[in-house]
Amino acid sequence: DNTGCSASTTINVSQPTAPTFSTSFTNVTCNGANTGTINVGVSGGNGPFSYLWNDGATTANRTSLVAGNYSLTTTDNNACTYQNNFTISQQTAINITSTVTNVVCNGGNTGTITTTTTGGTAPFSYNWGGGVTTPNRTNLTAGTYTLTVTDNNSCTTSHTASIVQSSTLSIVATVNLVTCSGGNNGNISLAVSGGSTPYTFNWGGGITTQNLTNLTIGTYAVTVTDNAGCTFSDSYIITQPSAITA
């Protein structure tokens, strides 16, 4: 004091025991799903406690979570706050790519589909329907094919591939018959459509022209081959009138 006298004392400043947090979480199993969970347990401290998550939820435990970052603020009975942060992850999405070989000739079964699967968790299983469980397909006709892939976590995704084919190779023939009995002025003219140009023609006997002229009576067969090797065959009959009898 003012005369130099002194005295001492000890003062203890105490604080409440900090709460102890026990936390656990599960990540999302399948990409894009909402199967994540967070469990928070609190012991000690000065309860009761209130909870506030960064997305507005007010329960200690969370379910049905999508992948993302979650922050929990816990407030005790003295308005003291404690922060816990969590990251819920997910596996990469299952991705299917395909390479398609189309049917060469209309009505054929030369189509193929080759697939590659990435992401997810290997091994994968494959289902095209109809009991087909291979990743790749051969001997396919034109059409749409859907593959469902399931990974080791039972996550699934589907992919659709389409097989197309060339248009039908067809022939329209104009046939002119022999005018007079015993004559040779018959002819056959062909108009070809479909397939892929250019076309080649085979009448047999080394004749490879598109049209025939100076024909006598008979049956004439032609095979038309397009640029892809597809063929179409047809035959035509040249007739003549009966002979004039005097």
Side-chain angles (χ1 to χ4, degrees):
D1 65 3
N2 196 42
T3 61
C5 302
S6 64
S8 298
T9 189
T10 299
I11 300 171
N12 292 320
V13 178
S14 64
Q15 62 181 357
T17 303
T20 301
F21 291 88
S22 59
T23 62
S24 64
F25 63 91
T26 57
N27 292 316
V28 174
T29 303
C30 300
N31 189 278
N34 64 337
T35 56
T37 66
I38 301 174
N39 295 314
V40 177
V42 184
S43 60
N46 185 21
F49 300 94
S50 62
Y51 307 93
L52 179 62
W53 295 85
N54 59 328
D55 60 358
T58 57
T59 59
N61 300 321
R62 301 294 305 276
T63 59
S64 303
L65 299 177
V66 296
N69 296 317
Y70 296 86
S71 177
L72 170 63
T73 299
T74 302
T75 304
D76 69 7
N77 201 40
N78 290 331
C80 303
T81 60
Y82 306 89
Q83 196 81 17
N84 286 284
N85 297 308
F86 305 87
T87 298
I88 299 295
S89 64
Q90 61 184 350
Q91 69 172 9
T92 56
I94 301 172
N95 183 54
I96 307 170
T97 58
S98 63
T99 301
V100 172
T101 301
N102 292 317
V103 173
V104 176
C105 300
N106 189 281
N109 65 337
T110 57
T112 66
I113 303 174
T114 303
T115 67
T116 301
T117 302
T118 57
T121 303
F124 304 102
S125 62
Y126 306 88
N127 185 8
W128 293 91
V132 181
T133 57
T134 58
N136 304 320
R137 300 290 305 275
T138 58
N139 301 323
L140 299 177
T141 59
T144 299
Y145 299 85
T146 299
L147 169 65
T148 299
V149 173
T150 303
D151 75 356
N152 200 44
N153 290 328
S154 297
C155 306
T156 63
T157 192
S158 295
H159 176 78
T160 298
S162 295
I163 300 290
V164 299
Q165 61 185 350
S166 61
S167 56
T168 304
L169 191 63
S170 63
I171 304 173
V172 176
T174 301
V175 178
N176 292 315
L177 306 178
V178 173
T179 305
C180 299
S181 178
N184 67 341
N185 64 339
N187 61 75
I188 302 172
S189 298
L190 302 182
V192 182
S193 61
S196 57
T197 59
Y199 308 111
T200 60
F201 302 86
N202 184 5
W203 294 91
I207 301 173
T208 57
T209 59
Q210 179 171 343
N211 305 317
L212 296 182
T213 58
N214 302 321
L215 300 177
T216 59
I217 61 171
T219 299
Y220 298 85
V222 64
T223 298
V224 178
T225 305
D226 72 0
N227 197 47
C230 307
T231 61
F232 183 87
S233 298
D234 207 350
S235 62
Y236 313 96
I237 298 175
I238 299 292
T239 61
Q240 64 184 1
S242 58
I244 299 173
T245 300

